[in-house]
Amino acid sequence: MAASHKNITADEVKRAVENAYQKVRSESGGKNASYIPYLASVDSNLFGISVCLLDGTIISVGDSTHTFGIESVSKVPTAILAMREYGAVDILNKVGADATGLPFNSIMAILLEKDRPSSPLVNAGAIAACSLVEPVGNKEKKWQAIVDNIKELTGAEPEVIEELYASESATDFNNRSIAWLLKDYGRIYDDPDLSLDLYTRQCSLGTTAEALSIMAATIANDGFNPVTNTQVFDPDFAPKVTSLITTVGFYERTGDWLYKSGIPAKSGVGGGVLGVMPGMFGIAAFSPPLDEAGNSVRAQLAIREIMHELELNIFAASRLCICQCRPTQEQS
Ligand code: GLN
């Protein structure tokens, strides 16, 4: 049977975002991350949602412009940067694209798959991706490349939350072990301490739900940022990045998440979640309290509500949508 495509409008998205916000805001489950002391002190009531349509329209509700720690969502832009610098094949060979089925900071995952750090979206692969960023050996230029890439993807220059960076640097013992284990396996491509520091710094960057929705929309839009109207990366990388998000975006809970939500998404322990609906929109939600795997409770519920209300699911042929908000070839 031929798939019957749905149309969705900006008004429908707006209604779904507002309904999800109202429904989820009183949810009190989860706890702020506490293994990074700064994150434990963030206001647990904060909650914001943003959707960026592919014509650049942004639909937001709640604390969508509040700055919070990007944490593991930063693994997505740096994976894109490494692809831009090395190409998709090299990233597969040097870092990998496999799910680990284990927590984000798992050392066991490295021991099990010692030929590669599995995926740039888990700690080991993200530290390896930071090691790859060019120019190898030059920490400040590498850092500038990481920041510039995020700026291109979101349209705004991100700034380090210094208190978070200090807090994380003082407690990152597990990540230090990861960096040096990768060295032992020949899977880190610059100095391990330098690579770890870049990773810690990028996790400490401040972001907003709005900025992450623009980044997600850029991925959903084949690398074309719909707000700044610039082609940020090769369109061929977009499905590869989305595949990485799909396989490991919620770590050991990724399968459950996909099964329930129908949208590839990536979380961070700062409470942010970024979701990609290819050809339709980018979505982001933020709220600090997390479940046991480190994924924001309210952000998950909100994104699921929105997908459900819009009757969207990337795995359902009959529920794929032709978004009226997508610019036509002539317009863009
Ligand atoms: N900086 C954090 C860490 O390495 C990021 C983890 C996360 O957001 N899942 O532990």
Side-chain angles (χ1 to χ4, degrees), residues 253-277:
R253 295 280 168 77
T254 308
D256 285 9
W257 165 256
L258 287 173
Y259 193 99
K260 290 184 189 163
S261 69
I263 178 171
K266 177 79 205 80
S267 65
V269 291
V273 173
L274 156 164
V276 178
M277 278 304 280

PDB file of all heavy atoms in Angstrom, residues 253-277:
ATOM      1  N   ARG A 253      19.844   3.446  26.941  1.00  0.00           N
ATOM      2  CA  ARG A 253      18.385   3.554  26.821  1.00  0.00           C
ATOM      3  C   ARG A 253      17.963   3.947  25.405  1.00  0.00           C
ATOM      4  O   ARG A 253      16.811   4.322  25.196  1.00  0.00           O
ATOM      5  CB  ARG A 253      17.851   4.613  27.786  1.00  0.00           C
ATOM      6  CG  ARG A 253      18.023   4.298  29.226  1.00  0.00           C
ATOM      7  CD  ARG A 253      16.942   3.310  29.709  1.00  0.00           C
ATOM      8  NE  ARG A 253      17.281   2.792  31.012  1.00  0.00           N
ATOM      9  CZ  ARG A 253      17.131   3.458  32.153  1.00  0.00           C
ATOM     10  NH1 ARG A 253      16.605   4.654  32.149  1.00  0.00           N
ATOM     11  NH2 ARG A 253      17.476   2.919  33.291  1.00  0.00           N
ATOM     12  N   THR A 254      18.874   3.864  24.466  1.00  0.00           N
ATOM     13  CA  THR A 254      18.569   4.373  23.124  1.00  0.00           C
ATOM     14  C   THR A 254      17.431   3.587  22.464  1.00  0.00           C
ATOM     15  O   THR A 254      16.554   4.169  21.832  1.00  0.00           O
ATOM     16  CB  THR A 254      19.831   4.333  22.237  1.00  0.00           C
ATOM     17  OG1 THR A 254      20.879   4.993  22.931  1.00  0.00           O
ATOM     18  CG2 THR A 254      19.605   5.018  20.907  1.00  0.00           C
ATOM     19  N   GLY A 255      17.458   2.279  22.615  1.00  0.00           N
ATOM     20  CA  GLY A 255      16.408   1.448  21.999  1.00  0.00           C
ATOM     21  C   GLY A 255      15.046   1.781  22.572  1.00  0.00           C
ATOM     22  O   GLY A 255      14.070   1.968  21.826  1.00  0.00           O
ATOM     23  N   ASP A 256      14.974   1.875  23.901  1.00  0.00           N
ATOM     24  CA  ASP A 256      13.696   2.228  24.556  1.00  0.00           C
ATOM     25  C   ASP A 256      13.186   3.567  24.035  1.00  0.00           C
ATOM     26  O   ASP A 256      12.002   3.738  23.754  1.00  0.00           O
ATOM     27  CB  ASP A 256      13.887   2.383  26.073  1.00  0.00           C
ATOM     28  CG  ASP A 256      14.027   1.049  26.779  1.00  0.00           C
ATOM     29  OD1 ASP A 256      14.146   0.028  26.077  1.00  0.00           O
ATOM     30  OD2 ASP A 256      14.035   1.046  28.017  1.00  0.00           O
ATOM     31  N   TRP A 257      14.128   4.510  23.944  1.00  0.00           N
ATOM     32  CA  TRP A 257      13.744   5.851  23.506  1.00  0.00           C
ATOM     33  C   TRP A 257      13.148   5.829  22.096  1.00  0.00           C
ATOM     34  O   TRP A 257      12.074   6.384  21.838  1.00  0.00           O
ATOM     35  CB  TRP A 257      14.952   6.798  23.566  1.00  0.00           C
ATOM     36  CG  TRP A 257      14.714   8.063  22.812  1.00  0.00           C
ATOM     37  CD1 TRP A 257      15.228   8.383  21.587  1.00  0.00           C
ATOM     38  CD2 TRP A 257      13.859   9.150  23.190  1.00  0.00           C
ATOM     39  NE1 TRP A 257      14.745   9.606  21.187  1.00  0.00           N
ATOM     40  CE2 TRP A 257      13.905  10.103  22.154  1.00  0.00           C
ATOM     41  CE3 TRP A 257      13.053   9.405  24.308  1.00  0.00           C
ATOM     42  CZ2 TRP A 257      13.186  11.295  22.198  1.00  0.00           C
ATOM     43  CZ3 TRP A 257      12.334  10.593  24.349  1.00  0.00           C
ATOM     44  CH2 TRP A 257      12.405  11.522  23.306  1.00  0.00           C
ATOM     45  N   LEU A 258      13.841   5.164  21.177  1.00  0.00           N
ATOM     46  CA  LEU A 258      13.360   5.124  19.785  1.00  0.00           C
ATOM     47  C   LEU A 258      12.013   4.426  19.692  1.00  0.00           C
ATOM     48  O   LEU A 258      11.127   4.841  18.955  1.00  0.00           O
ATOM     49  CB  LEU A 258      14.367   4.389  18.893  1.00  0.00           C
ATOM     50  CG  LEU A 258      15.654   5.139  18.577  1.00  0.00           C
ATOM     51  CD1 LEU A 258      16.607   4.214  17.839  1.00  0.00           C
ATOM     52  CD2 LEU A 258      15.368   6.373  17.728  1.00  0.00           C
ATOM     53  N   TYR A 259      11.887   3.352  20.438  1.00  0.00           N
ATOM     54  CA  TYR A 259      10.671   2.547  20.445  1.00  0.00           C
ATOM     55  C   TYR A 259       9.475   3.392  20.888  1.00  0.00           C
ATOM     56  O   TYR A 259       8.387   3.313  20.333  1.00  0.00           O
ATOM     57  CB  TYR A 259      10.899   1.391  21.417  1.00  0.00           C
ATOM     58  CG  TYR A 259       9.919   0.258  21.382  1.00  0.00           C
ATOM     59  CD1 TYR A 259      10.214  -0.913  20.686  1.00  0.00           C
ATOM     60  CD2 TYR A 259       8.733   0.323  22.102  1.00  0.00           C
ATOM     61  CE1 TYR A 259       9.330  -1.985  20.695  1.00  0.00           C
ATOM     62  CE2 TYR A 259       7.846  -0.738  22.115  1.00  0.00           C
ATOM     63  CZ  TYR A 259       8.148  -1.889  21.407  1.00  0.00           C
ATOM     64  OH  TYR A 259       7.281  -2.948  21.420  1.00  0.00           O
ATOM     65  N   LYS A 260       9.726   4.236  21.902  1.00  0.00           N
ATOM     66  CA  LYS A 260       8.621   5.037  22.452  1.00  0.00           C
ATOM     67  C   LYS A 260       8.376   6.329  21.689  1.00  0.00           C
ATOM     68  O   LYS A 260       7.261   6.830  21.656  1.00  0.00           O
ATOM     69  CB  LYS A 260       8.935   5.410  23.899  1.00  0.00           C
ATOM     70  CG  LYS A 260       8.888   4.251  24.866  1.00  0.00           C
ATOM     71  CD  LYS A 260       9.133   4.824  26.259  1.00  0.00           C
ATOM     72  CE  LYS A 260       9.337   3.776  27.302  1.00  0.00           C
ATOM     73  NZ  LYS A 260       9.948   4.355  28.507  1.00  0.00           N
ATOM     74  N   SER A 261       9.461   6.913  21.137  1.00  0.00           N
ATOM     75  CA  SER A 261       9.316   8.281  20.616  1.00  0.00           C
ATOM     76  C   SER A 261       9.256   8.377  19.095  1.00  0.00           C
ATOM     77  O   SER A 261       8.612   9.257  18.545  1.00  0.00           O
ATOM     78  CB  SER A 261      10.489   9.137  21.087  1.00  0.00           C
ATOM     79  OG  SER A 261      11.678   8.699  20.446  1.00  0.00           O
ATOM     80  N   GLY A 262      10.019   7.510  18.400  1.00  0.00           N
ATOM     81  CA  GLY A 262      10.068   7.592  16.937  1.00  0.00           C
ATOM     82  C   GLY A 262      10.907   8.733  16.397  1.00  0.00           C
ATOM     83  O   GLY A 262      10.742   9.139  15.241  1.00  0.00           O
ATOM     84  N   ILE A 263      11.827   9.268  17.213  1.00  0.00           N
ATOM     85  CA  ILE A 263      12.703  10.344  16.718  1.00  0.00           C
ATOM     86  C   ILE A 263      14.127  10.158  17.257  1.00  0.00           C
ATOM     87  O   ILE A 263      14.316   9.979  18.461  1.00  0.00           O
ATOM     88  CB  ILE A 263      12.144  11.750  17.092  1.00  0.00           C
ATOM     89  CG1 ILE A 263      13.107  12.861  16.616  1.00  0.00           C
ATOM     90  CG2 ILE A 263      11.865  11.897  18.584  1.00  0.00           C
ATOM     91  CD1 ILE A 263      12.543  14.277  16.748  1.00  0.00           C
ATOM     92  N   PRO A 264      15.141  10.210  16.372  1.00  0.00           N
ATOM     93  CA  PRO A 264      16.531  10.148  16.842  1.00  0.00           C
ATOM     94  C   PRO A 264      16.836  11.379  17.695  1.00  0.00           C
ATOM     95  O   PRO A 264      16.524  12.503  17.291  1.00  0.00           O
ATOM     96  CB  PRO A 264      17.358  10.185  15.552  1.00  0.00           C
ATOM     97  CG  PRO A 264      16.395   9.851  14.448  1.00  0.00           C
ATOM     98  CD  PRO A 264      15.050  10.307  14.907  1.00  0.00           C
ATOM     99  N   ALA A 265      17.437  11.159  18.865  1.00  0.00           N
ATOM    100  CA  ALA A 265      17.719  12.298  19.750  1.00  0.00           C
ATOM    101  C   ALA A 265      18.980  12.057  20.560  1.00  0.00           C
ATOM    102  O   ALA A 265      19.372  10.922  20.792  1.00  0.00           O
ATOM    103  CB  ALA A 265      16.534  12.549  20.681  1.00  0.00           C
ATOM    104  N   LYS A 266      19.597  13.157  20.971  1.00  0.00           N
ATOM    105  CA  LYS A 266      20.847  13.099  21.739  1.00  0.00           C
ATOM    106  C   LYS A 266      20.681  13.909  23.015  1.00  0.00           C
ATOM    107  O   LYS A 266      20.238  15.047  22.975  1.00  0.00           O
ATOM    108  CB  LYS A 266      21.989  13.697  20.900  1.00  0.00           C
ATOM    109  CG  LYS A 266      23.319  13.769  21.619  1.00  0.00           C
ATOM    110  CD  LYS A 266      24.005  12.424  21.620  1.00  0.00           C
ATOM    111  CE  LYS A 266      24.968  12.273  22.768  1.00  0.00           C
ATOM    112  NZ  LYS A 266      24.315  11.931  24.052  1.00  0.00           N
ATOM    113  N   SER A 267      21.098  13.296  24.126  1.00  0.00           N
ATOM    114  CA  SER A 267      20.929  13.955  25.425  1.00  0.00           C
ATOM    115  C   SER A 267      22.258  14.426  25.998  1.00  0.00           C
ATOM    116  O   SER A 267      23.326  14.009  25.556  1.00  0.00           O
ATOM    117  CB  SER A 267      20.326  12.945  26.401  1.00  0.00           C
ATOM    118  OG  SER A 267      21.266  11.912  26.608  1.00  0.00           O
ATOM    119  N   GLY A 268      22.162  15.290  27.019  1.00  0.00           N
ATOM    120  CA  GLY A 268      23.330  15.717  27.789  1.00  0.00           C
ATOM    121  C   GLY A 268      22.946  15.809  29.256  1.00  0.00           C
ATOM    122  O   GLY A 268      21.775  16.079  29.564  1.00  0.00           O
ATOM    123  N   VAL A 269      23.914  15.590  30.156  1.00  0.00           N
ATOM    124  CA  VAL A 269      23.577  15.607  31.586  1.00  0.00           C
ATOM    125  C   VAL A 269      23.267  17.009  32.126  1.00  0.00           C
ATOM    126  O   VAL A 269      22.860  17.152  33.271  1.00  0.00           O
ATOM    127  CB  VAL A 269      24.649  14.924  32.475  1.00  0.00           C
ATOM    128  CG1 VAL A 269      24.684  13.424  32.254  1.00  0.00           C
ATOM    129  CG2 VAL A 269      26.013  15.549  32.289  1.00  0.00           C
ATOM    130  N   GLY A 270      23.415  18.034  31.282  1.00  0.00           N
ATOM    131  CA  GLY A 270      22.968  19.376  31.659  1.00  0.00           C
ATOM    132  C   GLY A 270      21.453  19.487  31.557  1.00  0.00           C
ATOM    133  O   GLY A 270      20.867  20.501  31.945  1.00  0.00           O
ATOM    134  N   GLY A 271      20.799  18.468  30.980  1.00  0.00           N
ATOM    135  CA  GLY A 271      19.338  18.467  30.852  1.00  0.00           C
ATOM    136  C   GLY A 271      18.826  18.762  29.451  1.00  0.00           C
ATOM    137  O   GLY A 271      17.630  18.804  29.225  1.00  0.00           O
ATOM    138  N   GLY A 272      19.747  18.954  28.510  1.00  0.00           N
ATOM    139  CA  GLY A 272      19.338  19.240  27.136  1.00  0.00           C
ATOM    140  C   GLY A 272      19.138  17.966  26.329  1.00  0.00           C
ATOM    141  O   GLY A 272      19.823  16.962  26.555  1.00  0.00           O
ATOM    142  N   VAL A 273      18.188  18.010  25.395  1.00  0.00           N
ATOM    143  CA  VAL A 273      17.991  16.926  24.423  1.00  0.00           C
ATOM    144  C   VAL A 273      17.746  17.577  23.068  1.00  0.00           C
ATOM    145  O   VAL A 273      16.970  18.526  22.957  1.00  0.00           O
ATOM    146  CB  VAL A 273      16.782  16.035  24.792  1.00  0.00           C
ATOM    147  CG1 VAL A 273      16.489  15.030  23.676  1.00  0.00           C
ATOM    148  CG2 VAL A 273      17.012  15.283  26.097  1.00  0.00           C
ATOM    149  N   LEU A 274      18.432  17.057  22.061  1.00  0.00           N
ATOM    150  CA  LEU A 274      18.269  17.574  20.688  1.00  0.00           C
ATOM    151  C   LEU A 274      17.691  16.442  19.838  1.00  0.00           C
ATOM    152  O   LEU A 274      18.173  15.308  19.923  1.00  0.00           O
ATOM    153  CB  LEU A 274      19.653  18.017  20.210  1.00  0.00           C
ATOM    154  CG  LEU A 274      20.106  18.135  18.773  1.00  0.00           C
ATOM    155  CD1 LEU A 274      21.375  18.962  18.736  1.00  0.00           C
ATOM    156  CD2 LEU A 274      20.373  16.788  18.110  1.00  0.00           C
ATOM    157  N   GLY A 275      16.644  16.716  19.056  1.00  0.00           N
ATOM    158  CA  GLY A 275      16.037  15.673  18.230  1.00  0.00           C
ATOM    159  C   GLY A 275      15.995  16.085  16.760  1.00  0.00           C
ATOM    160  O   GLY A 275      15.788  17.262  16.455  1.00  0.00           O
ATOM    161  N   VAL A 276      16.190  15.118  15.879  1.00  0.00           N
ATOM    162  CA  VAL A 276      16.277  15.414  14.439  1.00  0.00           C
ATOM    163  C   VAL A 276      15.176  14.680  13.677  1.00  0.00           C
ATOM    164  O   VAL A 276      15.126  13.444  13.702  1.00  0.00           O
ATOM    165  CB  VAL A 276      17.660  14.977  13.885  1.00  0.00           C
ATOM    166  CG1 VAL A 276      17.750  15.221  12.385  1.00  0.00           C
ATOM    167  CG2 VAL A 276      18.794  15.692  14.610  1.00  0.00           C
ATOM    168  N   MET A 277      14.291  15.424  13.030  1.00  0.00           N
ATOM    169  CA  MET A 277      13.315  14.826  12.111  1.00  0.00           C
ATOM    170  C   MET A 277      13.746  15.216  10.704  1.00  0.00           C
ATOM    171  O   MET A 277      13.446  16.338  10.244  1.00  0.00           O
ATOM    172  CB  MET A 277      11.905  15.356  12.395  1.00  0.00           C
ATOM    173  CG  MET A 277      11.196  14.656  13.524  1.00  0.00           C
ATOM    174  SD  MET A 277      11.071  12.860  13.304  1.00  0.00           S
ATOM    175  CE  MET A 277       9.703  12.697  12.182  1.00  0.00           C
TER     176      MET A 277
END
